[in-house]
Amino acid sequence: MSRADEGGGPPPPGLELAKDFPGLGPGGGGPTVDHTAVRDAISRLRKNLDPVYGSPQPNMSATWSGPGTVAQTAGLGNVGPESTGKWEVANNFGGNVEQAYKAFIDSYSELVEYVEKWAGAVETAITNYEKGHKDSSA
């Protein structure tokens, strides 16, 4: 069944999904979404985010939890004028680094937070859809 069969028109050029787009059911591009495949994709996404979260260190260090983690970036990237020196050029460089750090660490943390919220929202939508379908089919 196409969108035209449902009373709608075809999708605009360039917006059609590939027939083998991950998560779509048999036939691809149709209204069927493979919930298991979507959940698997979210699971893989979370697994790939694990290194960004890091893991607790045996010495309870607050700054080092693995390369590229939010905590490591926050701990080791927090350099400012007090760390670079008092002469004018170093002080200005320290100010620039401090400003860049604040912008980056906020964005980095928000990105991780938003990805997790998105994943939770998709999982909730699937669960609600399945519950509604089950309840209406009873």
Side-chain angles (χ1 to χ4, degrees), residues 18-98:
K19 298 291 182 205
D20 61 349
F21 190 84
L24 292 178
T32 303
V33 175
D34 182 343
H35 293 175
T36 301
V38 173
R39 285 187 173 112
D40 288 345
I42 290 172
S43 178
R44 288 191 310 273
L45 174 67
R46 285 189 170 128
K47 184 177 181 180
N48 286 322
L49 278 179
D50 281 348
V52 176
Y53 291 117
S55 58
Q57 299 300 300
N59 63 2
M60 303 305 287
S61 169
T63 59
W64 183 258
S65 60
T69 63
V70 173
Q72 187 250 355
T73 304
L76 300 180
N78 192 9
V79 177
E82 66 284 346
S83 303
T84 55
K86 297 191 186 296
W87 57 291
E88 185 179 357
V89 173
N91 194 325
N92 289 338
F93 173 75
N96 289 338
V97 170
E98 184 176 42

Side-chain angles (χ1 to χ4, degrees), residues 77-117:
N78 192 9
V79 177
E82 66 284 346
S83 303
T84 55
K86 297 191 186 296
W87 57 291
E88 185 179 357
V89 173
N91 194 325
N92 289 338
F93 173 75
N96 289 338
V97 170
E98 184 176 42
Q99 185 177 5
Y101 162 79
K102 287 178 181 174
F104 175 75
I105 197 62
D106 288 349
S107 297
Y108 193 36
S109 297
E110 283 181 0
L111 172 65
V112 173
E113 178 185 336
Y114 290 157
V115 168
E116 186 57 47
K117 284 181 178 179

Side-chain angles (χ1 to χ4, degrees), residues 8 14 36 42 44 86 122 124-125 127 130 137:
T36 301
I42 290 172
R44 288 191 310 273
K86 297 191 186 296
V122 171
T124 300
T127 299
E130 289 173 342
S137 299

